[in-house]
């Protein structure tokens, strides 16, 4: 990793549920823990839920496959956006991503973020396919409304967490997942009996977040 004057965090949220969001609750807790451990550090924040990146379309999508000097205006604008997204990751020692499960997959805004990151020459070497973003910590805070573990009725229905490492594989980013599940139990009467399991899952996720970094005062 390149030497940096101070530690830098990239904090990304993607939930559309605002204050009710468990993934936002977890990323906020993680960001606070990171700041406590890096009191001189800096933070960049991106909210994909509120300000999603444009999806790749027929007008702009080929920007990553066409030489910049051949870009149309739409492709040039898309490529500038990709450069911005990649630069945010490159500047960070740690990336935090909130990843809720929507309709058994990732939010479309996260898919768009990943699509912008798959950029030859700046996120991976187009000759060797070596990733250029891997030398940093990547923590993904997952929230799932139901339960999708082994032996559950919907085992294997979570297509967000298994997809993300594959989607980002070219870049070298390797996510570490911390998950809270059954998050709909407190608001769905049909899941009321699962509230204790939700509370256990959330508490375990919060403990895992708290153990990510040692506060500067404790390390002194």
């Amino acid at each position: 990793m390149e030497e940096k004057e101070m530690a830098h965090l990239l904090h990304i949220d993607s939930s559309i549920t605002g204050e009710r969001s468990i993934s936002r609750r977890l990323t906020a807790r993680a960001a606070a823990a990171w700041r406590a451990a890096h009191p001189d550090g800096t933070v960049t924040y991106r909210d994909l839920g509120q300000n999603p990146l444009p999806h790749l379309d027929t007008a702009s999508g080929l920007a990553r496959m066409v030489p910049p000097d051949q870009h149309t205006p739409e492709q040039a604008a898309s490529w500038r956006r990709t450069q911005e997204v990649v630069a945010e990751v490159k500047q960070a020692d740690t990336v935090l991503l909130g990843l809720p499960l929507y309709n058994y997959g990732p939010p479309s805004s996260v898919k768009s973020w990943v699509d912008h990151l798959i950029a030859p020459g700046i996120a991976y070497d187009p000759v060797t396919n070596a990733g250029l973003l891997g030398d940093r910590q990547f923590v993904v805070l997952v929230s799932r409304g139901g339960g999708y573990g082994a032996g559950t009725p919907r085992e294997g229905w979570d297509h967000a967490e298994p997809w993300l490492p594959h989607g980002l594989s070219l870049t070298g980013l390797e996510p570490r997942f911390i998950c809270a599940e059954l998050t709909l139990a407190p608001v769905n009467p049909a899941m009321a009996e699962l509230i204790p399991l939700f509370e256990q899952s959330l508490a375990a996720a919060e403990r895992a977040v708290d153990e990510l970094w040692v506060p500067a005062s404790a390390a002194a």
Side-chain angles (χ1 to χ4, degrees):
M1 183 182 299
E2 297 178 359
E3 291 295 327
K4 300 180 177 66
E5 293 183 0
M6 61 182 65
H8 186 73
L9 171 70
L10 173 59
H11 174 182
I12 304 172
D13 280 318
S14 63
S15 171
I16 61 173
T17 59
E19 294 181 356
R20 295 177 296 159
S21 168
I22 296 298
S23 68
R24 286 179 183 267
R25 173 172 167 176
L26 290 174
T27 62
R29 189 183 187 101
W34 186 92
R35 287 188 179 95
H38 306 87
D40 296 324
T42 56
V43 179
T44 295
Y45 180 67
R46 180 178 284 275
D47 192 333
L48 296 173
Q50 187 171 21
N51 297 295
L53 293 163
H55 293 288
L56 306 188
D57 57 21
T58 56
S60 67
L62 295 181
R64 282 137 291 275
M65 302 169 64
V66 175
D69 61 357
Q70 299 177 26
H71 280 167
T72 65
E74 293 83 4
Q75 289 169 348
S78 183
W79 181 244
R80 287 193 297 271
R81 195 169 291 112
T82 283
Q83 290 176 307
E84 175 186 342
V85 169
V86 172
E88 286 180 348
V89 174
K90 285 188 171 181
Q91 292 163 5
D93 302 282
T94 299
V95 179
L96 290 177
L97 171 65
L99 182 68
L101 183 69
Y102 288 164
N103 300 317
Y104 311 112
S108 64
S109 60
V110 174
K111 178 61 167 62
S112 183
W113 179 73
V114 168
D115 286 343
H116 278 279
L117 280 178
I118 308 304
I122 57 175
Y124 71 92
D125 187 316
V127 176
T128 66
N129 281 339
L132 303 177
L133 305 181
D135 195 13
R136 56 197 26 85
Q137 186 179 31
F138 182 32
V139 180
V140 182
L141 290 309
V142 177
S143 63
R144 300 194 291 243
Y148 302 91
T152 62
R154 290 181 176 171
E155 176 184 352
W157 284 43
D158 175 0
H159 298 288
E161 183 176 328
W163 157 78
L164 188 63
H166 300 158
L168 287 170
S169 58
L170 272 177
T171 70
L173 284 169
E174 296 182 358
R176 172 184 173 179
F177 294 100
I178 296 174
C179 178
E181 63 177 8
L182 300 170
T183 62
L184 289 177
V187 296
N188 185 343
M191 298 175 64
E193 65 180 14
L194 299 175
I195 290 177
L197 291 178
F198 156 68
E199 292 174 341
Q200 292 173 22
S201 179
L202 179 60
E206 290 176 337
R207 286 194 300 272
V209 165
D210 293 344
E211 293 170 358
L212 285 169
W213 304 287
V214 178
S217 58

